[in-house]
């Protein structure tokens, strides 16, 4: 997405200023895992169009444009809403409505209630940081921006962020996330009490299905909780 404020990474919404390559952000450096994954996703979306590109730079720019197509373009909407002013000052309300209607994933980071018309630059900086930018990446851009520029930055970045999130949703990671289970002392004591009151199987092991029913959860989650207690040494490994 070509704009005068932020040089986007070719594969996401971040700035390309912190990477070793002039076209990519720090996380999308060539040959890294994330670079390969997201580049592959965009190539799949473009189908046979990517193979028609010839030069290296042309291919990079093509993939960046493909990413832009995954969310509504801000150009037309900006052209109309940026002209709205209230008491001689730019009103951010059109931007809030635009993001809510068109860029729902970005809107979740908006924190509209914290906006202050007296300090719009501070709010915009906070918004960009919540999206995933580092303060030092965008501070100078914000400092040099007028109110009208700030309005544009909010919408342009929201559109690019939305596009990247939609890319991830289009190709979800189907690998199982192994989330570490953390138990508080109260939860541990309650679980231990339930285990002691649950009848054992003939082989002396706790029945995961029965424990799950007592807990109101699945046998699989009950099994994971038992494994956690084993790891902590709260119950015997053969239990």
């Amino acid at each position: 997405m070509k704009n005068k404020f932020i040089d986007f990474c070719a594969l996401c919404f971040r700035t390309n200023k912190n990477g070793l390559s002039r076209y990519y952000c720090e996380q999308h450096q060539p040959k890294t895992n994330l670079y390969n994954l997201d580049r592959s996703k965009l190539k799949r979306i473009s189908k046979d169009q990517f193979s028609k590109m010839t030069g290296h730079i042309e291919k990079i720019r093509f993939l960046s444009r493909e990413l832009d197509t995954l969310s509504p373009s801000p150009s037309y909407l900006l052209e109309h809403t940026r002209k709205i002013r209230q008491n001689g000052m730019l009103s951010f309300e059109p931007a809030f409505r635009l993001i809510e209607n068109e860029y729902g994933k970005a809107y979740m980071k908006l924190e509209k209630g914290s906006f202050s018309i007296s300090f719009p630059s501070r709010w915009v900086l906070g918004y960009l940081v919540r999206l995933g930018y580092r303060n030092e990446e965008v501070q100078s851009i914000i400092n040099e921006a007028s109110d009208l520029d700030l309005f544009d930055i909010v919408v342009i970045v929201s559109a690019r962020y939305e596009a990247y999130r939609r890319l991830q949703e289009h190709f979800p990671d189907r690998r199982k996330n192994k989330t570490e289970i953390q138990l508080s002392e109260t939860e541990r004591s309650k679980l231990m009490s339930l285990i002691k009151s649950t009848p054992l199987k003939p082989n002396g092991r706790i029945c995961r299905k029965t424990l799950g029913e007592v807990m109101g959860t699945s046998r699989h989650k009950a099994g994971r909780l038992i494994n956690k207690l084993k790891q902590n040494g709260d119950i015997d490994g053969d239990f």
Side-chain angles (χ1 to χ4, degrees), residues 36-91:
N36 291 330
L37 282 173
D38 287 340
R39 189 170 183 271
S40 176
K41 291 173 184 177
L42 287 170
K43 286 170 65 176
R44 288 168 64 186
I45 284 178
S46 67
K47 298 181 180 178
D48 61 336
Q49 293 299 310
F50 180 80
S51 61
K52 296 178 181 178
M53 302 295 110
T54 54
H56 177 63
I57 305 305
E58 183 182 2
K59 290 180 177 179
I60 292 174
R61 290 173 177 165
F62 172 78
L63 290 180
S64 184
R65 290 194 300 270
E66 280 297 296
L67 180 59
D68 285 338
T69 64
L70 297 181
S71 72
S73 170
S75 301
Y76 175 80
L77 296 163
L78 273 176
E79 186 179 338
H80 292 75
T81 57
R82 73 199 295 260
K83 299 174 183 177
I84 300 177
R85 293 177 178 272
Q86 184 176 356
N87 298 325
M89 299 182 68
L90 179 68
S91 172

Side-chain angles (χ1 to χ4, degrees), residues 154-167:
V154 169
V155 176
I156 289 168
V157 171
S158 297
R160 186 75 172 191
Y161 178 87
E162 184 79 12
Y164 183 69
R165 291 304 169 205
R166 290 186 184 185
L167 177 69

Side-chain angles (χ1 to χ4, degrees), residues 16-26 29-30:
N16 62 14
K17 295 301 183 185
N18 284 328
L20 299 175
S21 169
R22 57 183 291 200
Y23 300 106
Y24 303 103
C25 67
E26 196 171 22
Q29 289 305 290

